[in-house]
Amino acid sequence: MGIHVNDGGTFKRANQVYVNDGGTWKEPHEIYIRDAGTWKLVHKLFTISSNQTNYNLYTALGSPTVPLTIRVTINAITIKATNTSSNAFTVGNFPAGTEVYIINNGTLLGAGAQGGRGTDYNNNNGTAGGTGGTALYTRIATKIQNNNTIAGGGGGGGGGGWRRYSVSSGKTSITETLPGSGGGGGAGDTPGAGGAGGAGGSTASVAGAAGSSTAGGAGGVKNQSVGGNGGGRGANGAAGSGGSNPTGGGLSGFYINGNSYVTWITNGTRQGRTTGWQH
């Protein structure tokens, strides 16, 4: 529905509307129209001013049932996901015909992925680093003025391979066996955990380190079994290496899932992968 104005004979949808209040032009926060005896919200200004997790705009606005125009301003806050299966910011299931305009002055962060587990001794059961989480998800027309950062979570580092090696002790050579080291966790405001080291062998393995908000965690390293480092914001995790059967690093998360629905007014800092073509 929304508000349309006649511009030179063509009706165009208005993103910003002002009313004259006592000689002063003001932008109303809400505009309603009367439709068959029922007042319906068709234009909404909204500000997000505190940190949020797994935020859903549609739910926050009370699940509207008619299409409308929404202009949401995100202040200098952080909106994050609590795990890689959740989105930091979901536009939501608005009625067809809704148009959303996002002015982002904050940081939207997907969750970091877990590092891969090191391979057990004499085995091929290590796990690859996980895939980072999504920052922003939309399936309706969305315009974005990104004045700050939208970043997918970092991918987890891969697990290191197992090794068999000799250690000299005087005139004697001893064979040692080592399971693989764990990969580092990916970056995110909910960072990924480090991967566990593998099991078995005569020498204990080393786990990977957890990521942080901005950086991936370091992979475990022991006797040339090397877990891959976790990826930073919007970066892939590194593959594990050394020994037998190391595993690959995980992919970064999407900074935007649903890019075909988005018109970028200002790109800002965008880190990670994207889906779809770009307006």
Side-chain angles (χ1 to χ4, degrees), residues 167-263:
V167 177
S168 297
S169 177
K171 296 182 179 180
T172 304
S173 180
I174 302 171
T175 298
E176 296 280 4
T177 54
L178 174 70
S181 301
D189 212 58
T190 300
S202 60
T203 304
S205 60
V206 177
S212 69
S213 175
T214 57
V221 179
K222 188 169 184 179
N223 293 332
Q224 299 178 38
S225 175
V226 181
N229 293 335
R233 289 181 180 178
N236 298 334
S241 61
S244 299
N245 304 323
T247 61
L251 294 173
S252 70
F254 296 113
Y255 71 82
I256 178 72
N257 185 327
N259 201 41
S260 59
Y261 298 87
V262 175
T263 299

Side-chain angles (χ1 to χ4, degrees), residues 112-134:
Q114 181 164 343
R117 182 180 180 276
T119 304
D120 289 346
Y121 171 68
N122 200 27
N123 213 313
N124 188 24
N125 63 349
T127 59
T131 299
T134 296

Side-chain angles (χ1 to χ4, degrees), residues 64-103:
T65 58
V66 296
L68 68 160
T69 300
I70 306 158
R71 187 155 60 89
V72 55
T73 299
I74 302 170
N75 288 349
I77 59 167
T78 297
I79 300 179
K80 68 177 183 178
T82 54
N83 55 64
T84 55
S85 297
S86 300
N87 309 311
F89 188 105
T90 301
V91 173
N93 192 30
F94 286 95
T98 296
E99 185 173 280
V100 176
Y101 192 121
I102 297 172
I103 302 170

